[in-house]
């Protein structure tokens, strides 16, 4: 639905294979952007939301560091409702993370 929160897992595909991904998430890796292999991380997210940069998006990585960086990239691109799942999949030292909280995950079929 249009106002529904979209979760974007920005980790590498090797991480998706290892732990699985949040069950309703979309995998758009930030890794290629950071390595300058492809500079279209933001464009991939724009396409995901069908160019509606007001759609609410939550970013998740392993421990919160990359998602904080990606949040800034998306805000610079005009996204107005971007959030981070700051404890990440594995926990951040303060909070246990998606997996330890036993939140639903799915296998990454095309990784």
């Amino acid at each position: 639905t249009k106002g529904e929160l979209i979760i974007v897992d920005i980790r590498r595909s090797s991480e998706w294979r290892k732990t699985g991904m949040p069950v309703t998430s979309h995998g758009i890796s930030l890794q290629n952007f950071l390595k300058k292999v492809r500079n279209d991380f933001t464009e991939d997210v724009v396409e995901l939301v069908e160019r509606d940069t007001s759609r609410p998006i939550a970013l998740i990585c392993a421990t919160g560091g990359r998602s904080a960086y990606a949040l800034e990239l998306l805000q610079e691109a005009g996204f107005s409702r971007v959030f981070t799942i700051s404890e990440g999949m594995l926990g951040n030292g303060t909070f246990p993370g998606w997996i330890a909280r036993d939140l639903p995950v799915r296998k990454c079929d095309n990784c």
Side-chain angles (χ1 to χ4, degrees):
T1 350
K2 200 118 173 107
E4 194 172 297
L5 179 70
I6 297 170
I7 299 174
V8 178
D9 189 331
I10 65 169
R11 298 174 301 147
R12 294 183 302 274
S13 57
S14 60
E15 294 173 282
W16 299 335
R17 284 191 299 274
K18 185 175 180 181
T19 65
M21 302 168 70
V23 75
T24 60
S25 68
H26 301 268
I28 300 177
S29 179
L30 185 65
Q31 190 64 25
N32 290 331
F33 175 84
L34 294 174
K35 286 185 173 179
K36 303 292 186 228
V37 174
R38 284 177 29 222
N39 267 342
D40 55 3
F41 169 77
T42 347
E43 185 57 32
D44 288 348
V45 178
V46 168
E47 287 178 21
L48 175 67
V49 298
E50 299 169 336
R51 305 214 168 278
D52 181 359
T53 55
S54 68
R55 295 275 303 271
I57 296 174
L59 303 169
I60 191 164
C61 62
T63 61
R66 285 174 285 180
S67 57
Y69 176 73
L71 176 127
E72 290 179 20
L73 290 175
L74 294 179
Q75 286 176 331
E76 288 171 11
F79 283 81
S80 57
R81 298 168 68 196
V82 184
F83 310 93
T84 63
I85 300 171
S86 59
E87 59 190 281
M89 290 296 285
L90 307 177
N92 62 9
T94 304
F95 297 102
W98 190 278
I99 294 169
R101 288 183 186 275
D102 204 27
L103 294 169
V105 294
R106 65 176 170 87
K107 289 193 183 305
C108 185
D109 299 324
N110 302 321
C111 295

